[in-house]
Amino acid sequence: MDIGSIVVIVLRLVVPFAILRYPLSGIAACMTLDTFDVVLVDILGGHQGFGGGVIGYHALDKILDTYYLAFILIVSLRWENSLARNTSIILFVYRVIGVILFELTGWRTLLLIFPNFFEYFVVFNLITQRFFPRFRLEQ
């Protein structure tokens, strides 16, 4: 594995800790890093491609995505609103099931059947908590 891949993997392992202190900013940083990880590897001189080696790019990407989604889950578990908290748990589990099934079968359509609504739901809820505090999800 080349230096570019190592730097990006280290970033993808370290940046999610920001989610615990600054949830919205941390999530935005993780989403940006996830979007541009391959580009960063190329810029940093990656010659083998991101994730070259024993684990291919897609498997490594899904592992790192689930890793940072777990940090987002920790944030959502702190919410007082039980409907929002329980919805986030269900959406996280749903996504993880999809990723596991995808990794076991290689059938890409599973990622469409099990989309990552979790991340966007949490972002939506964090934005409404911060900027529209009177808006609440209620049962």
Side-chain angles (χ1 to χ4, degrees), residues 1 8 13 43-44 52 59 70 73 80 82 100 130:
M1 190 173 297
V8 169
L13 291 171
I43 290 170
L44 296 172
L73 178 66
E80 291 179 20
S82 63
I100 291 169
R130 183 169 182 176

Side-chain angles (χ1 to χ4, degrees), residues 97-107 110:
I97 288 169
V99 169
I100 291 169
L101 290 174
F102 167 70
E103 289 302 324
L104 291 175
T105 65
W107 189 39
L110 286 168

Side-chain angles (χ1 to χ4, degrees), residues 63-89:
I63 290 167
L64 293 171
D65 288 350
T66 304
Y67 172 76
Y68 91 78
L69 291 178
F71 282 81
I72 298 172
L73 178 66
I74 291 168
V75 168
S76 72
L77 291 175
R78 299 178 191 159
W79 294 341
E80 291 179 20
N81 184 325
S82 63
L83 179 60
R85 183 178 56 247
N86 293 338
T87 301
S88 73
I89 293 167

Side-chain angles (χ1 to χ4, degrees), residues 33-126:
L33 191 54
D34 181 37
T35 301
F36 295 107
D37 56 2
V38 175
V39 174
L40 283 171
V41 169
D42 288 341
I43 290 170
L44 296 172
H47 302 290
Q48 297 173 340
F50 180 57
V54 178
I55 298 178
Y57 165 75
H58 292 290
L60 181 58
D61 184 55
K62 293 297 168 234
I63 290 167
L64 293 171
D65 288 350
T66 304
Y67 172 76
Y68 91 78
L69 291 178
F71 282 81
I72 298 172
L73 178 66
I74 291 168
V75 168
S76 72
L77 291 175
R78 299 178 191 159
W79 294 341
E80 291 179 20
N81 184 325
S82 63
L83 179 60
R85 183 178 56 247
N86 293 338
T87 301
S88 73
I89 293 167
I90 290 167
L91 290 173
F92 176 79
V93 170
Y94 186 74
R95 177 59 176 184
V96 169
I97 288 169
V99 169
I100 291 169
L101 290 174
F102 167 70
E103 289 302 324
L104 291 175
T105 65
W107 189 39
R108 292 197 63 78
T109 305
L110 286 168
L111 297 177
L112 292 172
I113 296 169
F114 295 88
N116 187 8
F117 291 136
F118 165 72
E119 185 174 28
Y120 300 104
F121 173 78
V122 171
V123 168
F124 168 78
N125 200 52
L126 289 170

